[in-house]
Amino acid sequence: MTSCPLDGAALVAGDELLRDNRFGLPHAVRVAWCPSCGLGVTLDPPSQGELDALYAECYGDDGPPQLPGSSQAARIWHRLNGSLPVADQRFEPPVLDVGCNTGEVLALLRARGLEVMGIEPNPTAAAAARAKGVEVVVSPIETAPLPAARFGSAILSQVLEHVLDPQAVLRRVQPSLVEGGRIYVVVPNAGSIWRGIFGADWVHWHVPFHLWHHTRTSLTLLLEQSGFRLETARTFTPGEWLLMSIEARRNARQGIYRLESFRGRFGRRAALAPLGRFGDALDRGDALFAVARARR
């Protein structure tokens, strides 16, 4: 790819050679950037078949949740930590979760009495979600059977950076929403202040799994070109994400490219949380959270 799929500008290859620093995978890639909208494109990623095998190897059931997702204790923790309590958003039902992984969000929404459905291509993760009692279609979103005008809300949390064609995915989801239905999107923020600080050690490169690297401008363009109108957008930076980048940098200096589990460690996460709030106050936190309404 030599031009930006969003605005046609010529892409400029970045200087950094990036590799996975979460699972220790050997793949090393570069990212090319659009000088206009800021979109980053992973160059020469593994084939889709290779990626499917890597997902099966690296992704699955992450075990029990760290805190009850909708409890008062969890809400206090989210506020302190700067994390996003997705399950506490005011969704209009039914709710579709695209890339629902192990189904924790859907299980919490179902406990609130909402009708829910998930789509998950990884059969191991989908089985874990079904064990929580939620309906899950095991399929890539690109080929999943979606009823027209069925859902009031759709969640795409940390999904669009993974798929081969984000615009095709959004255009497939859009007709499944009722009139005025909304999507709730979370993607890593390539405009994050922490990307600039940590450089190649920034944990949200997550190559080769992340094929696209969005800024606020590029995400807005993507949504508009896919049949949505952006309503709100903000950044957020949980304390554990900063901790992950710090440990990824420390590990890289020792030639290690694998992170240990980040369950627990609440004290260290809370200690770093004020730094995350600083980046968020500048609107340059580690992730973008956008809400957009479907156009007809």
Side-chain angles (χ1 to χ4, degrees):
M1 183 179 295
T2 59
S3 61
C4 176
L6 297 177
D7 62 19
L11 295 175
V12 179
D15 296 328
E16 293 175 310
L17 188 64
L18 307 172
R19 61 168 293 172
D20 167 61
N21 55 14
R22 297 192 190 184
F23 300 123
L25 302 178
H27 307 79
V29 300
R30 295 186 189 276
V31 172
W33 299 94
C34 173
S36 177
C37 72
L39 177 69
V41 181
T42 297
L43 300 176
D44 299 322
S47 69
Q48 187 60 55
E50 291 171 321
L51 282 172
D52 290 343
L54 290 173
Y55 278 114
E57 173 188 348
C58 299
Y59 280 73
D61 188 356
D62 292 328
Q66 300 173 66
L67 281 173
S70 291
S71 70
Q72 186 60 33
R75 292 188 179 98
I76 293 171
W77 169 252
H78 288 312
R79 192 173 296 114
L80 173 66
N81 187 48
S83 43
L84 176 71
V86 175
D88 282 348
Q89 302 301 311
R90 295 183 178 179
F91 299 113
E92 288 296 324
V95 180
L96 174 68
D97 190 353
V98 178
C100 67
N101 197 21
T102 57
E104 289 186 3
V105 169
L106 288 180
L108 292 167
L109 294 177
R110 184 171 176 270
R112 281 169 44 188
L114 301 183
E115 182 184 352
V116 300
M117 174 180 149
I119 297 175
E120 175 54 50
N122 185 325
T124 301
R130 285 174 169 170
K132 296 179 176 70
V134 298
E135 177 187 358
V136 179
V137 175
V138 185
S139 170
I141 177 58
E142 292 87 347
T143 57
L146 286 178
R150 164 79 184 283
F151 301 102
S153 307
I155 305 168
L156 293 95
S157 180
Q158 302 185 64
V159 169
L160 294 176
E161 65 270 29
H162 289 264
V163 298
L164 289 176
D165 190 340
Q167 192 170 96
V169 167
L170 288 170
R171 286 178 173 173
R172 185 164 181 79
V173 171
Q174 200 256 22
S176 74
L177 293 169
V178 300
E179 182 75 25
R182 291 181 173 90
I183 58 169
Y184 297 76
V185 174
V186 177
V187 294
N189 179 22
S192 168
I193 189 175
W194 308 111
R195 171 202 153 196
I197 289 172
F198 290 107
D201 301 319
W202 188 50
V203 78
H204 296 294
W205 293 120
H206 199 27
V207 293
F209 296 103
H210 288 184
L211 307 178
W212 310 95
H213 310 271
H214 276 288
T215 63
R216 179 188 286 264
T217 301
S218 69
L219 181 60
T220 301
L221 274 176
L222 174 63
L223 292 169
E224 289 177 349
Q225 293 176 10
S226 305
F228 294 91
R229 183 181 72 255
L230 181 69
E231 291 188 333
T232 64
R234 66 177 178 88
T235 69
F236 67 100
T237 312
E240 64 267 18
W241 289 0
L242 292 179
L243 183 59
M244 290 168 75
S245 288
I246 289 170
E247 295 206 3
R249 168 160 288 182
R250 181 202 65 192
N251 288 349
R253 290 173 176 172
Q254 300 174 14
I256 300 170
Y257 294 91
R258 188 179 188 91
L259 289 177
E260 298 299 324
S261 170
F262 273 77
R263 298 216 171 252
R265 308 192 188 191
F266 295 114
R268 277 179 282 178
R269 289 154 65 177
L272 290 169
L275 289 176
R277 302 294 69 68
F278 171 74
D280 297 344
L282 298 175
D283 199 29
R284 295 185 62 192
D286 257 358
L288 289 161
F289 172 51
V291 180
R293 188 186 291 269
R295 297 198 308 264
R296 289 288 189 268

